[in-house]
Amino acid sequence: MSRLPAHAYPASRPRRMRRDPFSRSLMRENTITASDLIYPVFILDGANQRQQVGSMPGVERLSVDLLLPVAEECARLGIPALALFPVIDASLKSADGIEATNPDGLVPRAVRTLKARFPELGIITDVALDPFTSHGQDGLIDENGYVVNDETIAMLIRQALCQAEAGVDIVAPSDMMDGRIGAIRTALEQARFIHTRIMAYSAKYASAFYGPFRDAVGSSGNLGKSDKNTYQMDPANSDEALREVGLDIAEGADMVMVKPGMPYLDIVRRVKDEYQVPTFAYQVSGEYAMLKAAAQNGWLDHDKVMMEAMMAFKRAGADGVLTYFALDIARLLKARA
């Protein structure tokens, strides 16, 4: 092969640093650890209850007794937190979602059990009414089916206090009502729950990627043909996300979240650059289901796309990710160590 004269090349050859594994490692800008992960889990009432979620391969609804070994593995692998999402029996659902405030309900009992067994494991609870309402909306509705804001907040405060009393570490309002972060923060302070953190779903979009999740918690049938466009954000907007995040920070949020994840990495980056606060993303059920289905069909390499997706979150600025891949990622990291 003939050699071109040296002057034909620039002084810098970026491929030099890509030639060997050691130099690629030296210049790697982002890394993935188990500490980046939050594992969302679906909980059922009763004992020895296990149900597969058909639209989410590998994901199960579990009664709390069966969740304990999962929590133990999370603690052992270094996953810092679990996020609990309840599957409520239809007989307990109502128009006002009052079961969400029951101190002996599924969520408070799960929190007490988990914190007693694994005090080092962070527990996050969802503050929203959709698992508890007969209509599947995240709040109370008026005679026209419109989700009313202030009346909903009053119920959310009761729900958050119920969870705080059970000993939860982080309450995570996911409802997108105006002003709910400030109202919940004030209520927590007045009740002396000064250490209870708030993870605000600050930029939660009205996304089509939530379908499998709604199947998992049993709210899709209640919601029917209705939508959540009057309170969740329009996917076309990004400036609005910054306004929402800024409001939640000012109202007392300790950390903020963008949801969904990969289709909204631009929002994660903008939020992190603008506010430089703890910023999280949720790799939602539809994202998980797509990657799982493609891998099961042999179209994608499961572990490679799982880790590449996770790296995309880190590169975009996420401090942590709620992902149904959390156990798979942590196991893979441990095997590679």
Side-chain angles (χ1 to χ4, degrees):
M1 181 186 300
S2 62
R3 285 173 168 267
L4 292 175
H7 63 76
Y9 291 96
S12 177
R13 291 178 181 257
R15 286 186 60 195
R16 273 194 289 262
M17 285 298 288
R18 302 183 200 133
R19 184 177 186 273
D20 298 300
F22 84 87
S23 53
R24 291 196 296 269
S25 179
L26 284 172
M27 73 170 188
R28 187 163 294 130
E29 298 173 27
N30 294 281
T31 56
I32 300 167
T33 72
S35 297
D36 299 318
L37 306 170
I38 296 170
Y39 191 31
V41 294
F42 300 106
I43 55 174
L44 289 167
D45 226 329
N48 199 33
Q49 297 296 307
R50 183 189 303 271
Q51 299 174 358
Q52 300 290 327
V53 179
S55 54
M56 299 177 70
V59 173
E60 298 175 314
R61 308 176 189 93
L62 297 172
S63 53
V64 176
D65 57 320
L66 296 185
L67 179 61
L68 293 177
V70 176
E72 183 177 17
E73 184 177 12
C74 287
R76 186 172 67 251
L77 290 171
I79 295 172
L82 292 179
L84 308 183
F85 295 94
V87 182
I88 302 300
D89 189 271
S91 66
L92 297 174
K93 297 187 179 188
S94 60
D96 61 1
I98 191 67
E99 177 63 17
T101 70
N102 180 2
D104 295 316
L106 174 58
V107 172
R109 284 187 281 110
V111 169
R112 289 193 291 268
T113 301
L114 287 165
K115 291 308 295 183
R117 288 286 299 273
F118 307 103
E120 74 281 14
L121 192 63
I123 304 299
I124 304 169
T125 46
D126 184 44
V127 179
L129 300 181
D130 51 325
F132 302 91
T133 56
S134 52
H135 44 73
Q137 295 286 1
D138 292 39
L140 281 62
I141 59 175
D142 64 15
E143 63 276 7
N144 299 312
Y146 180 76
V147 176
V148 291
N149 196 90
D150 297 2
E151 294 86 346
T152 293
I153 288 178
M155 190 66 77
L156 296 175
I157 290 171
R158 294 176 61 185
Q159 183 182 21
L161 288 174
C162 177
Q163 295 170 354
E165 288 165 359
V168 77
D169 300 293
I170 302 172
V171 293
S174 66
D175 57 287
M176 289 297 287
M177 297 298 112
D178 293 339
R180 90 277 200 213
I181 300 301
I184 291 170
R185 172 57 73 205
T186 297
L188 290 172
E189 292 287 329
Q190 290 176 346
R192 302 302 299 159
F193 293 117
I194 62 172
H195 301 301
T196 305
R197 282 138 282 193
I198 297 178
M199 174 185 281
Y201 285 61
S202 298
K204 182 179 181 180
Y205 284 84
S207 172
F209 284 93
Y210 303 145
F213 175 93
R214 291 174 183 167
D215 289 341
V217 299
S219 65
S220 58
N222 299 104
L223 189 62
K225 295 185 180 299
S226 299
D227 58 48
K228 302 188 178 186
N229 294 340
T230 66
Y231 49 99
Q232 294 179 357
M233 285 182 51
D234 186 336
N237 297 347
S238 63
D239 291 343
E240 183 185 15
L242 296 187
R243 293 196 296 273
E244 287 278 7
V245 170
L247 287 168
D248 286 355
I249 294 169
E251 291 176 19
D254 299 290
M255 55 200 102
V256 298
M257 187 201 296
V258 175
K259 182 181 179 181
M262 287 189 67
Y264 296 86
L265 291 180
D266 60 316
I267 309 301
V268 176
R269 182 77 267 165
R270 288 194 69 186
V271 168
K272 190 64 175 178
D273 286 346
E274 179 74 17
Y275 296 107
Q276 298 181 6
V277 297
T279 302
F280 294 80
Y282 199 141
Q283 186 180 39
V284 300
S285 58
E287 300 173 63
Y288 172 87
M290 288 192 303
L291 295 181
K292 277 288 187 181
Q296 286 181 343
N297 278 285
W299 300 334
L300 293 173
D301 183 301
H302 179 278
D303 289 353
K304 287 183 179 179
V305 296
M306 174 180 74
M307 298 304 286
E308 185 176 339
M310 186 66 188
M311 188 61 77
F313 286 112
K314 293 297 298 292
R315 194 181 63 248
D319 295 292
V321 182
L322 287 85
T323 174
Y324 303 98
F325 284 114
L327 276 177
D328 289 338
I329 292 170
R331 290 165 182 157
L332 184 60
L333 291 172
K334 187 175 181 62
R336 290 177 175 178

